[in-house]
Amino acid sequence: EVQLVESGGGLVKPGSSLKLSCVASGFTFSSYGMHWIRQAPKKGLEWIALIYYDSSNKYYADSVKGRFTISRDNSKNTLYLEMNSLRSEDTAMYYCAKGDNYWGQGVMVTVSS
Amino acid sequence: DVVMTQTPPSLSVAIGQSVSISCKSSQSLVASDKNTYLNWLLQSPGRSPKRLIYQVSKLDSGVPDRFSGSGSEKDFTLKISRVEAEDLGVYYCLQGTHLPRTFGGGTKLELK
């Protein structure tokens, strides 16, 4: 059974940093591209980043480019999202996803003074 | 970026009724490999999204055949025949052909 478990969220102040993790199981993690998607409270879904299976390519939404970094450690079956210079508008539930078909339960990030 | 326009934003239905949701893209979603990467997702209350349909019309494993997807190029439809209580939530279309990936605004399916 595919499982994706996010962690690392919390309440932080504007301008600070946070690193999210997503531990994968139930599939060959090193064979799949992975995404981060977020959902602001009471809002729709926003794709924010993609990393290829071998980390050879990374893509970002304009809203996070230059501030967020996606990475992975295939030896640990773990996906990461390093978030710097956080803003109030980054407040959201953050989901990792395997392709389009499996999503984690999400982790909440709140940016507030 | 590809804009996904999803309508209606909400639907009020009775159990057993059939409904359709439209999703229109600002660009063709036909990829260079000739596949069309248009997905439909359901986010049930308090849950993470779950994919129901991929590549326009292919049902994910375990998805009831009451759900069907159709369309091509820039115009797509999700149909739910005989709505059941477990179908309530917010439906999203998602295009995977172009980067950045983009979602429709969502359609909230509620009980009448």
Side-chain angles (χ1 to χ4, degrees):
Chain A
E1 179 195 2
V2 172
Q3 284 203 315
L4 298 167
V5 180
E6 301 96 335
S7 62
L11 172 62
V12 296
K13 293 187 181 341
S16 56
S17 299
L18 206 57
K19 187 171 185 177
L20 306 182
S21 299
C22 167
V23 176
S25 60
F27 66 102
T28 305
F29 179 73
S30 58
S31 297
Y32 291 90
M34 297 291 294
H35 302 264
W36 286 100
I37 300 108
R38 68 184 180 184
Q39 186 171 34
K42 306 290 189 189
K43 299 292 187 183
L45 298 163
E46 179 189 17
W47 173 88
I48 56 173
L50 160 67
I51 185 168
Y52 278 18
Y53 71 100
D54 59 355
S55 302
S56 59
N57 286 286
K58 303 176 185 181
Y59 300 94
Y60 299 93
D62 286 346
S63 58
V64 305
K65 200 175 294 181
R67 300 188 300 122
F68 290 12
T69 302
I70 190 171
S71 62
R72 64 192 297 160
D73 185 337
N74 286 345
S75 69
K76 296 182 178 179
N77 285 356
T78 303
L79 175 72
Y80 301 101
L81 185 68
E82 187 158 10
M83 305 184 293
N84 297 317
S85 304
L86 283 161
R87 307 166 179 167
S88 58
E89 55 264 37
D90 296 318
T91 294
M93 184 73 78
Y94 285 74
Y95 298 99
C96 65
K98 167 190 171 288
D100 299 317
N101 57 342
Y102 290 100
W103 294 55
Q105 84 288 350
V107 62
M108 189 67 200
V109 172
T110 303
V111 184
S112 174
S113 53
Chain B
D1 298 1
V2 177
V3 177
M4 304 296 288
T5 302
Q6 194 177 330
T7 55
S10 65
L11 276 171
S12 184
V13 301
I15 299 298
Q17 187 180 342
S18 294
V19 296
S20 291
I21 300 170
S22 169
C23 184
K24 296 183 190 297
S25 60
S26 60
Q27 299 177 29
S28 172
L29 298 186
V30 179
S32 55
D33 62 5
K34 308 299 186 198
N35 289 318
T36 301
Y37 295 99
L38 186 282
N39 307 286
W40 289 99
L41 311 171
L42 167 60
Q43 187 172 31
S44 301
R47 306 290 299 272
S48 53
K50 171 190 170 186
R51 193 180 71 179
L52 303 175
I53 289 174
Y54 63 101
Q55 290 184 34
V56 181
S57 60
K58 299 177 181 179
L59 264 62
D60 274 285
S61 176
V63 175
D65 60 7
R66 299 181 288 100
F67 291 88
S68 63
S70 62
S72 62
E73 297 278 345
K74 297 165 59 174
D75 197 347
F76 305 93
T77 301
L78 172 69
K79 182 176 180 180
I80 313 170
S81 304
R82 306 179 309 278
V83 167
E84 297 187 4
E86 66 185 28
D87 302 337
L88 304 182
V90 182
Y91 289 82
Y92 295 94
C93 57
L94 162 64
Q95 67 83 15
T97 298
H98 304 282
L99 284 172
R101 295 189 163 204
T102 44
F103 292 86
T107 296
K108 188 171 186 178
L109 189 65
E110 300 174 301
L111 265 183
K112 190 177 288 184

